[in-house]
């Protein structure tokens, strides 16, 4: 049994940062460790934290707003660093793990000041600002994609591809395989626009569906996440077309909807891309054009190159272009099944386990673990020697 160790996680205040942190925390707790998490007020309101997880709020500061904003941010980060040093001295973690976002910065700086082993995890295919700042200062870098943009040169030896942690419910979908799609059967379409929906999907997808041949329309079922302001208009468009559609502002049972779907149209956030690849679902991505460093465009490169997805720049995402691809994928025999296989080939269902293994590797085993291992080896050696004497 692994001896209990302490680990401190630090993550920014968005779901993209917090959910992987929660997943790692749950895995480390399941292994018998004690885990604490540092974030801001916004981050700790995001659901999904393990019950046993200890949480702390530290000042972080966000670098924006010109010279005055920069000074305020620097003061907040300095204060947060001092508080994080006190937390590290009190909690005594074996390692500090940062998941990006400004709230992770004070804890990573404090780890360096106290000579505590540290690492960062990058969810996107472009290294974020905080992770770029700390990349040369940490002991390990965990990434989710083969090709990472903005990664400083010379860090290959401490860079490890673990992937993004994915919920167990999503991994179960992978094990079930792609749902059968007979030639005259129902085609099930799932549209996801991120945590708040996306108006461009509400505008383009129903208009593209309207351009499909009648025989395909009669086979179509749709589940679409929409902004509150768009729901009634989208429902009305599908009703006019006679298409069975369920529209909602938030998909609370996303794993079940994903299990149901034959094709997904979505933004390209890191969690969404990881879940679709892990589940083995073909997708049409429309990366959010204003994402920091255009990271959503890079997030889908591996899936597109593997043949598991298509990607449209938002400016090219027109009803005509989408209708053409929907018709091709729906009517070309085996197209969706093949794309599903290609998507699954990019999935990393063991990401949480691999990430936890990497974190544990940063921490030398406690003395009692060494003693137990040494005693076990001595007993094993004595047993082998006795067996050899008997054989003689």
């Amino acid at each position: 049994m692994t001896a209990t160790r302490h680990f401190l996680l630090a993550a920014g205040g968005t779901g993209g940062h917090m959910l992987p942190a929660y997943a790692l925390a749950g895995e480390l707790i399941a292994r018998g460790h004690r885990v604490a998490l540092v974030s801001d007020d916004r981050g700790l309101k995001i659901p999904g934290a393990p019950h046993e997880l200890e949480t702390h709020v530290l000042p972080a500061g966000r670098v924006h707003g010109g010279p005055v904003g920069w000074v305020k941010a620097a003061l907040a980060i300095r204060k947060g660093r001092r508080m994080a040093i006190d937390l590290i001295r009190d909690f005594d973690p074996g390692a500090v793990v940062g998941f990006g976002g400004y709230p992770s910065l004070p804890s990573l700086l404090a780890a360096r000041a106290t000579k505590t082993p540290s690492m960062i995890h990058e969810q996107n295919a472009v290294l974020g600002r905080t992770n770029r700042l700390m990349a040369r200062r940490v002991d390990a870098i965990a990434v989710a994609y083969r090709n990472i943009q903005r990664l400083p040169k010379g860090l290959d030896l401490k860079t490890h591809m673990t992937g993004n942690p994915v919920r167990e419910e999503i991994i179960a979908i992978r094990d079930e395989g792609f749902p059968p799609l007979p030639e005259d059967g129902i085609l099930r379409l799932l549209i996801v626009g991120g945590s708040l929906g996306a108006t461009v999907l509400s505008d383009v997808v129903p208009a593209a569906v309207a351009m499909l041949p009648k025989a395909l329309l009669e086979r179509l079922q749709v589940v679409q996440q929409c902004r509150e302001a768009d729901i009634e208009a989208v429902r009305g468009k599908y009703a006019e077309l006679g298409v069975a559609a369920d529209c909602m502002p938030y998909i609370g049972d996303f794993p079940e909807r994903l299990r149901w779907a034959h094709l997904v149209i979505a933004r390209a956030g890191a969690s969404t891309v990881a879940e679709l690849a892990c589940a083995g679902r073909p997708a049409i991505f429309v990366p959010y054009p204003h994402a920091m460093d255009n990271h959503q465009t890079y997030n889908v490169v591996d899936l597109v190159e593997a043949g598991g997805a298509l990607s449209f720049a938002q400016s090219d995402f027109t009803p005509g272009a989408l209708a053409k691809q929907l018709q091709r994928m729906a009517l070309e025999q085996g197209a969706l099944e093949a794309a599903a296989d290609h998507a699954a080939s990019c999935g990393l269902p063991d990401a949480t386990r691999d990430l936890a293994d990497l974190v544990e590797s940063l921490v030398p085993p406690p003395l009692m673990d060494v003693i137990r291992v040494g005693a076990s080896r001595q007993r094993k050696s004595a047993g082998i020697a006795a067996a050899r004497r008997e054989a003689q």
Side-chain angles (χ1 to χ4, degrees), residues 4 30-31 79 103 117 124 126 135-136 139 144 148 167 172 199 242 246 267 270 313 339 347 355 360 363 372 381:
T4 297
R31 296 184 183 196
K79 180 180 179 181
N124 292 295
V126 181
R136 294 191 184 279
D139 299 288
I148 300 295
R167 291 173 281 180
T199 294
D246 190 359
R267 287 297 198 191
L355 188 58
E360 285 186 332
V363 187
R372 290 190 192 100
S381 297

Side-chain angles (χ1 to χ4, degrees), residues 161-359:
M161 184 172 169
T162 62
N164 279 319
V166 171
R167 291 173 281 180
E168 290 296 327
E169 303 95 315
I170 303 295
I171 296 173
I173 298 172
R174 178 186 186 87
D175 296 336
E176 295 168 10
F178 190 72
L181 181 63
E183 288 187 18
D184 58 349
I186 298 299
L187 174 64
R188 302 193 291 260
L189 188 62
L190 175 63
I191 299 99
V192 186
S195 59
L196 298 176
T199 294
V200 66
L201 300 183
S202 296
D203 291 341
V204 172
V205 177
V209 168
M211 302 172 71
L212 299 176
K214 183 178 180 181
L216 182 53
L217 276 181
E218 293 173 348
R219 295 172 46 203
L220 198 62
Q221 289 183 358
V222 174
V223 170
Q224 182 157 353
Q225 179 197 16
C226 310
R227 293 182 183 274
E228 290 275 10
D230 300 331
I231 285 181
E232 291 307 318
V234 173
R235 282 177 180 156
K237 291 176 184 177
Y238 286 127
E240 290 175 11
L241 297 169
V243 173
D246 190 359
C247 302
M248 61 197 74
Y250 176 73
I251 301 178
D253 57 345
F254 181 74
E256 283 303 313
R257 300 291 188 168
L258 187 57
R259 175 179 286 106
W260 167 90
H262 292 115
L263 177 65
V264 181
I265 301 175
R267 287 297 198 191
S271 294
T272 299
V273 174
E275 290 188 335
L276 297 190
C278 192
R281 288 298 183 268
I284 295 174
F285 289 111
V286 187
Y288 180 57
H290 306 298
M292 183 73 68
D293 298 317
N294 197 26
H295 64 253
Q296 288 203 3
T297 295
Y298 292 102
N299 285 352
V300 302
V301 169
D302 288 354
L303 261 177
V304 171
E305 289 182 350
L310 299 173
S311 181
F312 283 93
Q314 185 163 307
S315 58
D316 297 328
F317 187 62
T318 64
L322 177 59
K324 180 180 178 180
Q325 293 301 330
L326 288 175
Q327 189 168 350
R328 179 189 66 80
M329 297 176 80
L331 300 180
E332 184 179 311
Q333 189 171 4
L336 285 170
E337 291 86 347
D341 287 342
H342 296 319
S345 72
C346 296
L348 296 170
D350 297 326
T352 305
R353 183 200 68 191
D354 292 345
L355 188 58
D357 288 346
L358 180 59
V359 172

